[in-house]
């Protein structure tokens, strides 16, 4: 069964704009991870945030986690055409196991 | 480091035929996963191995799907007989046996059942 649910399902922005994607989940988690998938390829890990963290940065990526609302957001700043991909959140249970992926957000960055 | 290798890259079969996929994980990764990804959806876990033991196969349709991990390294996933609804990308992933370790994915095998 799906744990995470991303929204929006699809997002289209211009190059240079910021893109924000949200993920909601249902049960308690150990950590939450974001992955990117380019068309026809496997998923690539972007960033991990633990349940006791509220915010994390990595380059142009900023992830927040609100465990009281069971939600996370991924912000990509100054987007580029190369950021065009599907983005998935994945949660793990309290033992750090059982990766469960949401349906993803399809991001299109227009040049 | 070399990534997760999967083969074949594409496979087209008729329904009721059988098919097998192969995965070679990153060296040293104890945990191996098989996911099914239907077009437009997120990956769905089929089976998780820890070394050569099964950790979770609760979502594996065991009447037609089987998987093994020989000597805790390579793994094969088999479908017999295939159904139309098995058309999907089958992704293999591996990770270190350490809490918080990310998954490393192969590029998948795209299966089309006609």
């Amino acid at each position: 069964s799906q744990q995470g649910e991303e929204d929006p399902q699809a997002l289209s922005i211009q190059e240079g704009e910021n893109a924000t994607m949200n993920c909601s989940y249902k049960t308690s988690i150990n950590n939450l991870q974001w992955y990117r998938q380019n068309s026809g390829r496997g998923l690539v890990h972007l960033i991990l945030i633990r349940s006791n963290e509220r915010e994390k940065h990595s380059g142009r990526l900023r992830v927040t986690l609100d465990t009281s609302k069971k939600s996370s957001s991924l912000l990509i700043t100054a987007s580029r055409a190369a950021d065009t991909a599907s983005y998935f959140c994945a949660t793990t249970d309290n033992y750090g196991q059982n990766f469960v992926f949401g349906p993803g957000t399809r991001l299109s960055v227009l040049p | 480091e070399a990534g997760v290798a999967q083969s074949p890259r594409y496979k087209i079969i008729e329904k009721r035929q059988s098919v097998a996929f192969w995965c070679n994980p990153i060296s040293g990764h104890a945990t191996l996963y098989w996911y099914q990804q239907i077009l437009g959806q997120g990956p769905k876990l089929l089976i998780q191995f820890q070394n050569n033991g099964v950790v979770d196969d609760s979502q594996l349709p065991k009447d037609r799907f089987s998987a093994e991990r020989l000597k805790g390294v390579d793994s094969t996933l088999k479908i017999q007989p295939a159904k139309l609804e098995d058309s999907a990308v089958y992704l293999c992933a591996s990770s270190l046996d350490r809490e918080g370790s990310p998954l490393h994915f192969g590029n998948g095998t795209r299966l089309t059942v006609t």
Side-chain angles (χ1 to χ4, degrees):
Chain A
S1 60
Q2 279 186 346
Q3 161 79 303
E5 291 279 341
E6 295 92 341
D7 86 273
Q9 288 187 336
L11 180 61
S12 186
I13 59 174
Q14 296 291 134
E15 231 175 359
E17 293 181 338
N18 295 341
T20 299
M21 289 158 269
N22 303 297
C23 169
S24 59
Y25 56 92
K26 296 174 183 148
T27 61
S28 61
I29 60 172
N30 176 280
N31 65 67
L32 186 145
Q33 304 184 21
W34 284 91
Y35 288 77
R36 183 188 74 231
Q37 185 178 35
N38 291 90
S39 180
R41 307 298 294 268
L43 284 74
V44 174
H45 179 258
L46 295 175
I47 194 166
L48 176 152
I49 186 165
R50 299 187 185 283
S51 58
N52 61 352
E53 296 176 311
R54 291 297 167 258
E55 187 171 313
K56 213 157 177 191
H57 297 255
S58 176
R60 295 184 296 113
L61 305 180
R62 173 178 168 255
V63 170
T64 61
L65 180 65
D66 186 335
T67 53
S68 66
K69 295 181 179 178
K70 291 188 168 58
S71 68
S72 172
S73 67
L74 171 67
L75 169 68
I76 304 174
T77 60
S79 63
R80 306 166 181 168
D83 295 327
T84 294
S86 291
Y87 292 82
F88 298 90
C89 67
T91 56
T92 63
D93 61 22
N94 288 331
Y95 302 100
Q97 299 292 322
N98 295 326
F99 283 83
V100 180
F101 287 85
T105 292
R106 291 183 302 282
L107 173 66
S108 297
V109 182
L110 307 174
Chain B
E1 64 182 5
V4 175
Q6 288 189 249
S7 67
R9 191 79 173 88
Y10 304 94
K11 191 73 178 178
I12 300 174
I13 61 172
E14 295 182 352
K15 60 184 179 184
R16 291 187 289 273
Q17 287 187 324
S18 62
V19 64
F21 313 125
W22 173 82
C23 172
N24 178 238
I26 292 173
S27 178
H29 281 194
T31 309
L32 185 147
Y33 309 78
W34 282 102
Y35 282 87
Q36 180 194 58
Q37 186 176 27
I38 292 172
L39 187 64
Q41 298 183 17
K44 171 190 156 188
L45 180 67
L46 292 176
I47 190 167
Q48 176 184 344
F49 291 95
Q50 183 88 2
N51 295 307
N52 60 352
V54 175
V55 173
D56 182 0
D57 64 356
S58 58
Q59 297 192 81
L60 186 74
K62 298 181 186 65
D63 57 334
R64 297 184 302 106
F65 287 63
S66 64
E68 60 180 2
R69 189 176 184 195
L70 301 174
K71 300 180 182 178
V73 182
D74 292 5
S75 178
T76 56
L77 175 69
K78 296 179 182 177
I79 308 175
Q80 181 178 15
K83 293 185 176 181
L84 296 177
E85 59 261 36
D86 299 331
S87 293
V89 175
Y90 290 85
L91 294 163
C92 178
S94 68
S95 71
L96 291 168
D97 182 19
R98 194 163 64 216
E99 184 274 328
S101 293
L103 302 186
H104 297 260
F105 283 84
N107 285 327
T109 296
R110 180 176 297 277
L111 174 67
T112 302
V113 182
T114 63

